[in-house]
Amino acid sequence: EDKVVQSPLSLVVHEGDTVTLNCSYEVTNFRSLLWYKQEKKAPTFLFMLTSSGIEKKSGRLSSILDKKELSSILNITATQTGDSAIYLCAVKASNTGKLIFGQGTTLQVKP
Amino acid sequence: GAGVSQTPSNKVTEKGKYVELRCDPISGHTALYWYRQSLGQGPEFLIYFQGTGAADDSGLPNDRFFAVRPEGSVSTLKIQRTERGDSAVYLCASSPGAGLRAFFGQGTRLTVV
């Protein structure tokens, strides 16, 4: 059965800290891995990774995929209270675009 | 509007009742997905439409759940004889085509009492 696992499940840090969120997957037909940020209800897209070892970066956020280890990390540097959210990792495992999500990591950034 | 629109945003219903949840995708998007997110969990796939047809309904939990997209645009998720375990946020997403990046709506929070 296809599976995506995220760790930690929750994390509390202070503003300015750097955090690393982990995602590992076991899927039979890997196409790509995606990261989303969910603050209220709608997940908002952060990154899509298809190639191993190539870092994607957007401001203070960056992510990299390791296909050999079947995993990805999401880094957030100089965290701000506005980074508080649930971060979701998802794997696209077919041509249909259907996503398999992990449980999410709840990040709380304290002032 | 430019985004995926879902209505209602919140729905409270009594156990055993029938509910319909609506999704209005981004104009021109042929692929449409329904997901369900229970508290403390990631979204769980329910069904995928390509155009008017359900190309993959493997995530529907049982025959109380049904979804349609008769004209290849708006979709309705229908739940019969609701149970308390159906309480969740139901998310809809659309994309320009299968496998392309999907955009999510704000979701419908369903509470069955």
mmCIF file of all heavy atoms in Angstrom, chain A residues 45-77:
data_model
loop_
_atom_site.group_PDB
_atom_site.id
_atom_site.type_symbol
_atom_site.label_atom_id
_atom_site.label_comp_id
_atom_site.label_asym_id
_atom_site.label_seq_id
_atom_site.Cartn_x
_atom_site.Cartn_y
_atom_site.Cartn_z
ATOM 1 N N PHE A 45 0.193 25.640 -2.348
ATOM 2 C CA PHE A 45 1.344 24.982 -2.943
ATOM 3 C C PHE A 45 2.646 25.695 -2.581
ATOM 4 O O PHE A 45 2.723 26.923 -2.627
ATOM 5 C CB PHE A 45 1.162 24.959 -4.462
ATOM 6 C CG PHE A 45 2.329 24.445 -5.235
ATOM 7 C CD1 PHE A 45 2.523 23.087 -5.385
ATOM 8 C CD2 PHE A 45 3.231 25.323 -5.812
ATOM 9 C CE1 PHE A 45 3.597 22.607 -6.110
ATOM 10 C CE2 PHE A 45 4.310 24.863 -6.528
ATOM 11 C CZ PHE A 45 4.488 23.494 -6.683
ATOM 12 N N LEU A 46 3.662 24.893 -2.222
ATOM 13 C CA LEU A 46 4.999 25.444 -1.963
ATOM 14 C C LEU A 46 5.982 24.991 -3.045
ATOM 15 O O LEU A 46 6.548 25.811 -3.762
ATOM 16 C CB LEU A 46 5.508 25.000 -0.587
ATOM 17 C CG LEU A 46 4.757 25.537 0.633
ATOM 18 C CD1 LEU A 46 5.291 24.894 1.903
ATOM 19 C CD2 LEU A 46 4.836 27.049 0.706
ATOM 20 N N PHE A 47 6.184 23.672 -3.135
ATOM 21 C CA PHE A 47 7.180 23.146 -4.068
ATOM 22 C C PHE A 47 6.710 21.831 -4.691
ATOM 23 O O PHE A 47 5.953 21.094 -4.074
ATOM 24 C CB PHE A 47 8.506 22.809 -3.337
ATOM 25 C CG PHE A 47 9.176 23.965 -2.680
ATOM 26 C CD1 PHE A 47 9.220 24.050 -1.295
ATOM 27 C CD2 PHE A 47 9.793 24.947 -3.430
ATOM 28 C CE1 PHE A 47 9.854 25.116 -0.671
ATOM 29 C CE2 PHE A 47 10.428 26.013 -2.817
ATOM 30 C CZ PHE A 47 10.455 26.100 -1.434
ATOM 31 N N MET A 48 7.218 21.571 -5.899
ATOM 32 C CA MET A 48 7.092 20.259 -6.491
ATOM 33 C C MET A 48 8.475 19.786 -6.881
ATOM 34 O O MET A 48 9.231 20.539 -7.522
ATOM 35 C CB MET A 48 6.190 20.254 -7.727
ATOM 36 C CG MET A 48 5.994 18.865 -8.298
ATOM 37 S SD MET A 48 4.670 18.741 -9.509
ATOM 38 C CE MET A 48 5.454 19.415 -10.945
ATOM 39 N N LEU A 49 8.823 18.563 -6.491
ATOM 40 C CA LEU A 49 10.156 18.020 -6.721
ATOM 41 C C LEU A 49 10.026 16.737 -7.524
ATOM 42 O O LEU A 49 9.241 15.853 -7.179
ATOM 43 C CB LEU A 49 10.841 17.715 -5.376
ATOM 44 C CG LEU A 49 10.938 18.899 -4.420
ATOM 45 C CD1 LEU A 49 10.940 18.437 -2.981
ATOM 46 C CD2 LEU A 49 12.207 19.688 -4.716
ATOM 47 N N THR A 50 10.805 16.647 -8.578
ATOM 48 C CA THR A 50 10.790 15.426 -9.368
ATOM 49 C C THR A 50 12.181 14.817 -9.491
ATOM 50 O O THR A 50 12.323 13.603 -9.618
ATOM 51 C CB THR A 50 10.235 15.681 -10.778
ATOM 52 O OG1 THR A 50 10.969 16.776 -11.356
ATOM 53 C CG2 THR A 50 8.778 16.039 -10.739
ATOM 54 N N SER A 51 13.185 15.650 -9.440
ATOM 55 C CA SER A 51 14.546 15.160 -9.644
ATOM 56 C C SER A 51 15.304 15.137 -8.327
ATOM 57 O O SER A 51 15.221 16.073 -7.535
ATOM 58 C CB SER A 51 15.295 16.063 -10.614
ATOM 59 O OG SER A 51 14.627 16.086 -11.846
ATOM 60 N N SER A 52 16.062 14.082 -8.157
ATOM 61 C CA SER A 52 16.795 13.914 -6.911
ATOM 62 C C SER A 52 17.956 14.898 -6.839
ATOM 63 O O SER A 52 18.630 15.148 -7.841
ATOM 64 C CB SER A 52 17.322 12.482 -6.859
ATOM 65 O OG SER A 52 17.614 12.090 -5.546
ATOM 66 N N GLY A 53 18.190 15.453 -5.650
ATOM 67 C CA GLY A 53 19.391 16.244 -5.411
ATOM 68 C C GLY A 53 19.329 17.683 -5.858
ATOM 69 O O GLY A 53 20.277 18.435 -5.643
ATOM 70 N N ILE A 54 18.227 18.096 -6.449
ATOM 71 C CA ILE A 54 18.127 19.484 -6.905
ATOM 72 C C ILE A 54 17.270 20.256 -5.910
ATOM 73 O O ILE A 54 16.110 19.925 -5.690
ATOM 74 C CB ILE A 54 17.518 19.562 -8.309
ATOM 75 C CG1 ILE A 54 18.424 18.845 -9.294
ATOM 76 C CG2 ILE A 54 17.295 21.028 -8.721
ATOM 77 C CD1 ILE A 54 17.893 18.773 -10.696
ATOM 78 N N GLU A 55 17.871 21.294 -5.300
ATOM 79 C CA GLU A 55 17.158 22.054 -4.283
ATOM 80 C C GLU A 55 16.246 23.087 -4.931
ATOM 81 O O GLU A 55 16.649 23.779 -5.869
ATOM 82 C CB GLU A 55 18.156 22.774 -3.370
ATOM 83 C CG GLU A 55 17.499 23.505 -2.203
ATOM 84 C CD GLU A 55 18.522 24.248 -1.355
ATOM 85 O OE1 GLU A 55 19.346 24.986 -1.926
ATOM 86 O OE2 GLU A 55 18.477 24.078 -0.126
ATOM 87 N N LYS A 56 15.033 23.164 -4.405
ATOM 88 C CA LYS A 56 14.123 24.228 -4.816
ATOM 89 C C LYS A 56 14.063 25.235 -3.677
ATOM 90 O O LYS A 56 14.031 24.853 -2.506
ATOM 91 C CB LYS A 56 12.735 23.655 -5.095
ATOM 92 C CG LYS A 56 12.708 22.767 -6.317
ATOM 93 C CD LYS A 56 11.741 23.278 -7.330
ATOM 94 C CE LYS A 56 11.814 22.450 -8.603
ATOM 95 N NZ LYS A 56 10.577 22.470 -9.352
ATOM 96 N N LYS A 57 14.063 26.515 -4.038
ATOM 97 C CA LYS A 57 14.157 27.552 -3.015
ATOM 98 C C LYS A 57 13.156 28.661 -3.302
ATOM 99 O O LYS A 57 12.946 29.046 -4.454
ATOM 100 C CB LYS A 57 15.578 28.123 -3.043
ATOM 101 C CG LYS A 57 16.042 28.749 -1.757
ATOM 102 C CD LYS A 57 17.545 28.982 -1.804
ATOM 103 C CE LYS A 57 18.015 29.922 -0.720
ATOM 104 N NZ LYS A 57 17.681 29.514 0.645
ATOM 105 N N SER A 58 12.534 29.156 -2.214
ATOM 106 C CA SER A 58 11.648 30.311 -2.347
ATOM 107 C C SER A 58 11.775 31.109 -1.075
ATOM 108 O O SER A 58 11.208 30.747 -0.037
ATOM 109 C CB SER A 58 10.202 29.844 -2.566
ATOM 110 O OG SER A 58 9.327 30.946 -2.596
ATOM 111 N N GLY A 59 12.537 32.181 -1.140
ATOM 112 C CA GLY A 59 12.751 33.006 0.050
ATOM 113 C C GLY A 59 13.448 32.212 1.134
ATOM 114 O O GLY A 59 14.522 31.651 0.915
ATOM 115 N N ARG A 60 12.800 32.139 2.306
ATOM 116 C CA ARG A 60 13.398 31.433 3.444
ATOM 117 C C ARG A 60 13.111 29.929 3.429
ATOM 118 O O ARG A 60 13.576 29.208 4.302
ATOM 119 C CB ARG A 60 12.855 32.041 4.752
ATOM 120 C CG ARG A 60 13.228 33.517 4.949
ATOM 121 C CD ARG A 60 12.598 34.096 6.216
ATOM 122 N NE ARG A 60 11.138 34.155 6.095
ATOM 123 C CZ ARG A 60 10.303 33.304 6.661
ATOM 124 N NH1 ARG A 60 10.775 32.301 7.417
ATOM 125 N NH2 ARG A 60 9.001 33.436 6.508
ATOM 126 N N LEU A 61 12.323 29.480 2.459
ATOM 127 C CA LEU A 61 11.965 28.066 2.381
ATOM 128 C C LEU A 61 12.771 27.374 1.288
ATOM 129 O O LEU A 61 13.031 27.967 0.229
ATOM 130 C CB LEU A 61 10.479 27.900 2.063
ATOM 131 C CG LEU A 61 9.492 27.985 3.217
ATOM 132 C CD1 LEU A 61 9.430 29.378 3.808
ATOM 133 C CD2 LEU A 61 8.116 27.545 2.760
ATOM 134 N N SER A 62 13.169 26.154 1.563
ATOM 135 C CA SER A 62 13.846 25.364 0.538
ATOM 136 C C SER A 62 13.511 23.899 0.764
ATOM 137 O O SER A 62 13.145 23.488 1.871
ATOM 138 C CB SER A 62 15.368 25.577 0.598
ATOM 139 O OG SER A 62 15.881 25.113 1.826
ATOM 140 N N SER A 63 13.641 23.115 -0.304
ATOM 141 C CA SER A 63 13.318 21.701 -0.209
ATOM 142 C C SER A 63 14.192 20.913 -1.165
ATOM 143 O O SER A 63 14.605 21.423 -2.217
ATOM 144 C CB SER A 63 11.840 21.483 -0.544
ATOM 145 O OG SER A 63 11.506 20.128 -0.396
ATOM 146 N N ILE A 64 14.438 19.666 -0.802
ATOM 147 C CA ILE A 64 15.253 18.803 -1.640
ATOM 148 C C ILE A 64 14.710 17.382 -1.550
ATOM 149 O O ILE A 64 14.146 16.974 -0.535
ATOM 150 C CB ILE A 64 16.737 18.890 -1.220
ATOM 151 C CG1 ILE A 64 17.653 18.296 -2.288
ATOM 152 C CG2 ILE A 64 16.975 18.244 0.136
ATOM 153 C CD1 ILE A 64 19.080 18.779 -2.185
ATOM 154 N N LEU A 65 14.868 16.664 -2.643
ATOM 155 C CA LEU A 65 14.371 15.288 -2.740
ATOM 156 C C LEU A 65 15.561 14.327 -2.829
ATOM 157 O O LEU A 65 16.534 14.611 -3.529
ATOM 158 C CB LEU A 65 13.504 15.170 -3.993
ATOM 159 C CG LEU A 65 12.966 13.795 -4.397
ATOM 160 C CD1 LEU A 65 11.969 13.274 -3.378
ATOM 161 C CD2 LEU A 65 12.324 13.871 -5.779
ATOM 162 N N ASP A 66 15.461 13.224 -2.114
ATOM 163 C CA ASP A 66 16.474 12.170 -2.197
ATOM 164 C C ASP A 66 15.767 10.885 -2.624
ATOM 165 O O ASP A 66 15.184 10.194 -1.798
ATOM 166 C CB ASP A 66 17.169 12.007 -0.839
ATOM 167 C CG ASP A 66 18.327 11.020 -0.891
ATOM 168 O OD1 ASP A 66 18.351 10.147 -1.793
ATOM 169 O OD2 ASP A 66 19.201 11.095 -0.022
ATOM 170 N N LYS A 67 15.824 10.585 -3.902
ATOM 171 C CA LYS A 67 15.080 9.423 -4.413
ATOM 172 C C LYS A 67 15.690 8.109 -3.954
ATOM 173 O O LYS A 67 14.999 7.100 -3.849
ATOM 174 C CB LYS A 67 15.037 9.456 -5.941
ATOM 175 C CG LYS A 67 13.984 10.387 -6.505
ATOM 176 C CD LYS A 67 14.105 10.415 -8.004
ATOM 177 C CE LYS A 67 12.796 10.572 -8.674
ATOM 178 N NZ LYS A 67 12.904 10.651 -10.134
ATOM 179 N N LYS A 68 16.975 8.133 -3.665
ATOM 180 C CA LYS A 68 17.612 6.897 -3.198
ATOM 181 C C LYS A 68 17.102 6.547 -1.805
ATOM 182 O O LYS A 68 16.850 5.387 -1.498
ATOM 183 C CB LYS A 68 19.122 7.111 -3.175
ATOM 184 C CG LYS A 68 19.935 5.864 -2.921
ATOM 185 C CD LYS A 68 21.408 6.166 -3.037
ATOM 186 C CE LYS A 68 22.219 4.974 -2.566
ATOM 187 N NZ LYS A 68 23.642 5.259 -2.477
ATOM 188 N N GLU A 69 16.953 7.581 -0.963
ATOM 189 C CA GLU A 69 16.467 7.372 0.398
ATOM 190 C C GLU A 69 14.949 7.475 0.493
ATOM 191 O O GLU A 69 14.391 7.338 1.579
ATOM 192 C CB GLU A 69 17.095 8.414 1.350
ATOM 193 C CG GLU A 69 18.605 8.288 1.493
ATOM 194 C CD GLU A 69 19.009 6.966 2.116
ATOM 195 O OE1 GLU A 69 18.281 6.456 3.004
ATOM 196 O OE2 GLU A 69 20.055 6.419 1.716
ATOM 197 N N LEU A 70 14.291 7.737 -0.623
ATOM 198 C CA LEU A 70 12.816 7.872 -0.665
ATOM 199 C C LEU A 70 12.352 8.894 0.369
ATOM 200 O O LEU A 70 11.463 8.629 1.204
ATOM 201 C CB LEU A 70 12.142 6.519 -0.406
ATOM 202 C CG LEU A 70 12.574 5.366 -1.302
ATOM 203 C CD1 LEU A 70 11.780 4.104 -0.959
ATOM 204 C CD2 LEU A 70 12.402 5.702 -2.775
ATOM 205 N N SER A 71 12.954 10.063 0.314
ATOM 206 C CA SER A 71 12.614 11.068 1.321
ATOM 207 C C SER A 71 12.839 12.476 0.788
ATOM 208 O O SER A 71 13.482 12.684 -0.245
ATOM 209 C CB SER A 71 13.461 10.860 2.582
ATOM 210 O OG SER A 71 14.814 11.093 2.301
ATOM 211 N N SER A 72 12.304 13.415 1.540
ATOM 212 C CA SER A 72 12.473 14.830 1.216
ATOM 213 C C SER A 72 12.516 15.617 2.523
ATOM 214 O O SER A 72 11.958 15.188 3.539
ATOM 215 C CB SER A 72 11.302 15.316 0.366
ATOM 216 O OG SER A 72 11.365 16.718 0.159
ATOM 217 N N ILE A 73 13.180 16.752 2.497
ATOM 218 C CA ILE A 73 13.141 17.657 3.641
ATOM 219 C C ILE A 73 12.687 19.037 3.181
ATOM 220 O O ILE A 73 12.915 19.433 2.031
ATOM 221 C CB ILE A 73 14.494 17.770 4.373
ATOM 222 C CG1 ILE A 73 15.591 18.262 3.435
ATOM 223 C CG2 ILE A 73 14.878 16.464 5.028
ATOM 224 C CD1 ILE A 73 16.879 18.607 4.156
ATOM 225 N N LEU A 74 12.024 19.726 4.104
ATOM 226 C CA LEU A 74 11.620 21.115 3.896
ATOM 227 C C LEU A 74 12.311 21.926 4.994
ATOM 228 O O LEU A 74 12.136 21.632 6.175
ATOM 229 C CB LEU A 74 10.111 21.269 3.999
ATOM 230 C CG LEU A 74 9.559 22.696 3.923
ATOM 231 C CD1 LEU A 74 9.751 23.271 2.529
ATOM 232 C CD2 LEU A 74 8.085 22.731 4.306
ATOM 233 N N ASN A 75 13.121 22.895 4.585
ATOM 234 C CA ASN A 75 13.813 23.754 5.542
ATOM 235 C C ASN A 75 13.188 25.139 5.559
ATOM 236 O O ASN A 75 12.849 25.684 4.506
ATOM 237 C CB ASN A 75 15.284 23.932 5.130
ATOM 238 C CG ASN A 75 16.140 22.774 5.574
ATOM 239 O OD1 ASN A 75 15.993 22.273 6.688
ATOM 240 N ND2 ASN A 75 17.019 22.331 4.706
ATOM 241 N N ILE A 76 13.049 25.672 6.763
ATOM 242 C CA ILE A 76 12.604 27.057 6.900
ATOM 243 C C ILE A 76 13.625 27.765 7.789
ATOM 244 O O ILE A 76 13.840 27.362 8.941
ATOM 245 C CB ILE A 76 11.208 27.169 7.551
ATOM 246 C CG1 ILE A 76 10.201 26.269 6.847
ATOM 247 C CG2 ILE A 76 10.736 28.628 7.505
ATOM 248 C CD1 ILE A 76 8.830 26.226 7.504
ATOM 249 N N THR A 77 14.273 28.784 7.253
ATOM 250 C CA THR A 77 15.255 29.535 8.036
ATOM 251 C C THR A 77 14.624 30.815 8.576
ATOM 252 O O THR A 77 13.615 31.299 8.053
ATOM 253 C CB THR A 77 16.471 29.910 7.169
ATOM 254 O OG1 THR A 77 16.013 30.698 6.061
ATOM 255 C CG2 THR A 77 17.188 28.680 6.646
#
